Amino acid sequence: MTATDRSLELINAAAQAAADKLAHDIIAYDVSDVLSITDAFLLASAPNDRQVKSIVDGIEERLNKDLDAKPVRREGDREARWVLLDYVDIVVHVQHSEERVFYALERLWKDCPQLELPADAEATRGKGAEYAQAQAADGGSGGELS
C-alpha cells in the first residue's frame, strides 16, 4: 500500500508552507505500509518556539485555504517545542531543533520510503546544522539564519 493522492497533495502543500516559513530539514515519509492510522508523516524544525508556532500556523492556513483541510487534532501548542497536526491522512510534526535531535524521528521511520517534496522544501535539508554552527561561531547570540 502506498500513500494516497490526497495524502501526497496534503504533504506537498504542508511542505511548501513550512519552507515558506523558513523551516529547517523538511522531510516526509510514506508510513502507509507500517501504520494503519495515517499515510504519511511530515517532519520540520525551527530554532525557536516562535518560529515553530509560525510554521504550524502557516501549514494550517495553507491546507485550510488551498485544500479545505483542517486538522482533527492539534497538540503541543502551549510549549511550542513539538507541535503535532493530525489531518488523519497525514500527520505533521514541527519540532524545536533541540527536540528534533533528541527524539530523532527520522531514525524511527528510516525504513519507510521518503516522499519527494517541492524544491523549496528539499532545499531546507541541512539548514538546522548550518544554523547550529552559525550560533556556535557567534557564541550563541545573534540573528536568524535562513
Side-chain angles (χ1 to χ4, degrees):
M1 189 170 171
T2 60
T4 65
D5 289 342
R6 175 66 173 170
S7 297
L8 296 175
E9 182 179 40
L10 291 167
I11 282 287
N12 283 308
Q16 185 61 56
D20 291 348
K21 294 292 183 175
L22 306 178
H24 295 166
D25 303 313
I26 302 168
I27 192 166
Y29 294 98
D30 181 338
V31 296
S32 61
D33 283 341
V34 294
L35 290 177
S36 60
I37 58 172
T38 193
D39 282 347
F41 280 164
L42 180 74
L43 310 176
S45 55
N48 61 62
D49 303 351
R50 202 163 111 200
Q51 192 173 358
V52 167
K53 285 183 182 181
S54 177
I55 293 164
V56 169
D57 290 344
I59 291 170
E60 196 168 0
E61 182 180 313
R62 173 84 49 94
L63 269 56
N64 186 21
K65 180 181 164 199
D66 294 354
L67 301 172
D68 197 31
K70 294 181 181 175
V72 296
R73 190 172 66 220
R74 181 175 171 157
E75 296 181 5
D77 271 343
R78 187 168 298 158
E79 299 83 25
R81 302 288 293 177
W82 181 350
V83 180
L84 179 143
L85 296 172
D86 183 353
Y87 287 90
V88 179
D89 294 325
I90 70 166
V91 175
V92 177
H93 300 268
V94 182
Q95 298 176 297
H96 189 287
S97 299
E98 292 170 2
E99 269 68 15
R100 180 86 178 257
V101 170
F102 183 79
Y103 290 101
L105 294 178
E106 292 92 337
R107 193 177 61 228
L108 292 173
W109 305 111
K110 70 178 185 244
D111 294 333
C112 296
Q114 280 188 37
L115 295 172
E116 189 173 323
L117 297 174
D120 291 344
E122 296 274 351
T124 67
R125 306 268 171 86
K127 292 288 185 184
E130 287 176 23
Y131 181 84
Q133 288 174 344
Q135 288 298 301
D138 196 25
S141 64
E144 295 288 313
L145 178 71
S146 58

